[in-house]
Amino acid sequence: MSDFPPCPKCDSVYVYEDSALLICPECAHEWSATQGDDGDADVRIVRDANGAELKDGDDVTVIKDLKVKGSSSVVKVGTKVKNISLVEGDHDIDCKIPSIGSMGLKSQFVKKI
């Protein structure tokens, strides 16, 4: 059959190669062909509301009015946020919003510019 290792998530043997990635058709898990069997080196991909991949330093626009917790401030639709940084957690974007300051955003409420 193939010389590829089984899927690290579901142990499926039906793994195939696509460019530099190995892909499991049963659970849709993707991992680097050079990473080995451990599966710990997975890179977390953060996507915006439209499905575009976000990276550190990207500029985004807020697509929904967002209330700021603990304040009466609101981040309005169309607010441009520059130079985001991606973090682990529920709010996966750290940024500095003009006139509000530093805060965390969920990627589902922004779109890449």
Side-chain angles (χ1 to χ4, degrees):
M1 186 130 177
S2 69
D3 296 328
F4 301 124
C7 175
K9 291 225 176 186
C10 71
D11 291 323
S12 171
V13 294
Y14 302 109
V15 173
Y16 64 93
E17 185 176 23
D18 184 23
S19 298
L21 294 176
L22 295 177
I23 302 172
C24 174
E26 293 184 2
C27 70
H29 179 66
E30 298 179 357
W31 70 100
S32 172
T34 59
Q35 123 187 357
D37 297 335
D38 60 359
D40 293 336
D42 284 353
V43 175
R44 186 169 160 250
I45 297 175
V46 177
R47 300 195 181 274
D48 70 359
N50 295 330
E53 185 176 344
L54 296 174
K55 297 186 186 290
D56 285 334
D58 282 346
D59 297 340
V60 296
T61 301
V62 177
I63 63 168
K64 177 182 175 183
D65 282 347
L66 302 172
K67 295 180 184 176
V68 178
K69 193 172 190 177
S71 173
S72 61
S73 301
V74 175
V75 179
K76 295 287 189 180
V77 172
T79 301
K80 293 181 183 178
V81 181
K82 296 182 179 183
N83 198 20
I84 64 170
S85 62
L86 303 177
V87 295
E88 295 291 323
D90 188 32
H91 291 75
D92 43 11
I93 298 174
D94 272 347
C95 60
K96 189 172 185 181
I97 297 179
S99 76
I100 293 179
S102 296
M103 67 181 296
L105 294 174
K106 291 185 178 184
S107 58
Q108 66 192 26
F109 298 121
V110 299
K111 71 176 182 178
K112 190 173 182 177
I113 298 176

